[in-house]
Amino acid sequence: LAMASGTEDKLLTIFQKYDSRGDGTISRDLLIVALTNLGLGGAGADDILCLLRSAGVLTAEGGEARVRYSDFVKWAVGSHQQSVLQPAAAMAATRPPGPLPFATLAKKPRRYKFFVGANWKCSLDTALEVDGLVDRINESWLARAGMLTDIELCVFPPYVFLDRVRRQLSTELHVGSQNAWDSAPGFTSTGVVTADMLHEVGCRWVLLGHSDRRNILGENDAFIAEKVAKCL
């Protein structure tokens, strides 16, 4: 499979979306995420790390392994390494922009339950209001349990009510966080709630990339991708 014309530029454009610092590097974990999204998921993280070491593109900053992705792409699509990124190159060269059409996804047989996420935002201010809503959710779910076997429901209360809701909510339902890991890469900032903290109080889901945080707080794709990688 020969590399299509312009493949190197297309791959660079894809990797640049993960470059939150704008310095030409991305974290090792994010590169693995990017390559997996481009069709190299079957290679495995260990195999990809071996490629990075072979390419000599890993750097260490403050104990964090980062990758000079332009050097990696040049190495990967070079004449002696042409097979390394063949799946990714083929996808970048031929796949139309944007996500898969919904009709295509809908035709695939569903292997999982239909997921419903209920974001509470900041609509409830008191513990009394929270307890009342949890009671009503539990009652409604129990009354309709027979009709909801294909539904997986997760509620997303504010940080301060996460543990309270988890302790009262039906065990058939899930609790998620409205955000995680606000700090810049490599820093521990005041007021930050990390993925490890959320996991400790029983959260297994988190909302990332919400329009409120994009439009009001200015979060962009690269920063959100960093948070996704951290949570995963």
Side-chain angles (χ1 to χ4, degrees), residues 7-169:
T7 293
E8 182 174 333
D9 290 338
K10 291 178 181 178
L11 288 172
L12 284 174
T13 299
I14 291 171
F15 289 133
Q16 284 169 354
K17 294 179 180 179
Y18 294 87
D19 183 3
S20 60
R21 295 183 179 182
D23 62 357
T25 69
I26 56 178
S27 69
R28 176 193 62 187
D29 293 340
L30 273 182
L31 182 72
I32 293 173
V33 171
L35 292 178
T36 299
N37 290 338
L38 285 170
L40 280 178
D46 291 339
D47 294 331
I48 292 174
L49 291 180
C50 287
L51 292 178
L52 299 178
R53 295 189 186 98
S54 299
V57 297
L58 278 176
T59 64
E61 299 180 11
E64 180 184 26
R66 298 188 68 82
V67 181
R68 300 186 302 274
Y69 54 85
S70 60
D71 291 345
F72 174 69
V73 170
K74 290 178 181 177
W75 173 84
V77 302
S79 59
H80 299 294
Q81 307 292 342
Q82 191 164 335
S83 64
V84 174
L85 280 184
Q86 282 182 357
M91 182 174 290
T94 61
R95 179 178 170 180
L100 290 173
F102 180 77
T104 302
L105 299 175
K107 291 179 181 178
K108 295 183 179 181
R110 187 196 301 170
R111 296 185 303 160
Y112 307 104
K113 293 183 177 182
F114 186 81
F115 183 85
V116 176
N119 180 15
W120 293 8
K121 298 194 176 185
C122 293
S123 58
L124 302 180
D125 297 320
T126 69
L128 184 62
E129 291 176 309
V130 169
D131 293 348
L133 179 57
V134 172
D135 286 342
R136 293 193 296 276
I137 291 174
N138 287 339
E139 291 173 3
S140 296
W141 184 266
L142 181 62
R144 297 168 176 81
M147 299 182 291
L148 300 174
T149 55
D150 289 332
I151 302 295
E152 186 171 11
L153 176 63
C154 181
V155 299
F156 294 86
Y159 285 139
V160 294
F161 298 128
L162 281 172
D163 191 54
R164 187 183 190 93
V165 171
R166 182 189 63 82
R167 292 174 183 274
Q168 300 181 64
L169 197 65

